[in-house]
Amino acid sequence: MITVDNKWKAAGYVTEPVPEGVDMKAEIRRMCKEKNAVIMAHYYTEGEIQDIADFVGDSLALAQQAARTDADIIVMCGVHFMGETNKILCPGKKVLVPDLNATCSLAESCPAKEFGEFVKAHPSHTVISYVNTTAAIKALTDIVVTSGNAMQIVNSLPKDEKIVFGPDRNLGNYINSVTGRQMVLWNGACHVHEKFSLERILELKAAHPDAKILVHPECKGPVVKVADKVGSTAALLKFSQEDSAKEFIVATESGILHKMQQACPEKTFIPAPPDDSTCACNECNYMKLITMQKLYNCLKYEWPEIEVEKEVAEKAVKCINRMLELSK
Ligand code: 13P
Ligand code: SF4
């Protein structure tokens, strides 16, 4: 019986080195087979993580896939809220995230106590939360959305419905501007998407006039305005494959370039630069915490495991299921 070392618990992941001579990739695949485990990965993880995964997707597709998998173990190579969503949808399965430190700045920008007060201050409003939230926030929510279905779900509600939307003010503003609604917004943002520089994107566009600009709706309004396509990671990937342009300027986390380039090796994908050229701000430092070594150890020791309090999960599952129903 393998027990989880206390040091590992403190670190949030299994820190043990992979034994010398072990073929890590082959072992990961072997363990998946032996344990009936499935590896899911988000487009922002490192390329080698995406390549070894059974399923790679945006946050909507990852939730849909979790709801239908018959695996006993789900290894979610992504951030904590993605593991929580999977666990809420599959309470009987073991859900693992290779590093518990992989959180999300949006989820962190929305503490449950304050959000609860915000909701209380807006009675008779429907509460819509972006999936990038903790389970505790989902327990306070009527409908969850992702960037892939937010517009469709908001549009499905009566025009005069009063809505509270959190935590991403940029996605909320974008929905308000397209739908003409006046959703009341929580003031949160993603540290990666907030940093893209309009000026530097326009400089790139001047140098590559035929390039199409792809923008995730977590970016600030002025960046969204210059986009040829605004959408979730999956929507941007699809557009880059279907559009006739040969060059694309990509204003979202740079991990998505891996799949874009794999699907269209003949096209050129230029990562949009952040406003501070001294940092790699177009990388999500949380997603990049997921490494092959941590994935290997996580499968080996079946830890770190995601737990969600039963009472919270029972409330949260309703708003996630409502999203899945509405986005069929
Ligand atoms: P997608 O829903 O587009 O995959 O985005 C998730 C995310 O975390 C964006 O920052
Ligand atoms: Fe969260 Fe931003 Fe990272 Fe997406 S890119 S997981 S919103 S911190």
Side-chain angles (χ1 to χ4, degrees), residues 42-44 57-60 79 81-82 104 106 130-132 146-148 190 193 216 218 231-234 252-253 287:
H42 188 268
Y43 291 123
Y44 294 164
D58 68 352
S59 29
L60 174 60
V79 291
F81 77 79
M82 295 176 173
C104 163
L106 266 173
Y130 193 27
V131 71
N132 297 40
T146 73
S147 55
C190 159
H193 290 85
H216 196 280
E218 285 175 22
S232 72
T233 47
T252 189
E253 210 274 355
M287 289 280 186

Side-chain angles (χ1 to χ4, degrees), residues 178-190:
V178 174
T179 63
R181 305 227 178 198
Q182 291 183 329
M183 301 190 300
V184 182
L185 307 182
W186 180 262
N187 191 19
C190 159

Side-chain angles (χ1 to χ4, degrees), residues 2 9 22 46 63 72 76 79 137 154 161 170 172 180 210 221 224 229 238 265 293 295:
I2 295 162
K9 277 202 168 167
V22 166
E46 296 286 1
D72 296 316
M76 183 62 240
V79 291
I137 296 294
V154 170
E161 186 140 343
N170 293 323
D210 295 331
V224 170
K229 172 72 185 170
K238 186 165 181 275
Q293 179 180 334
L295 169 57

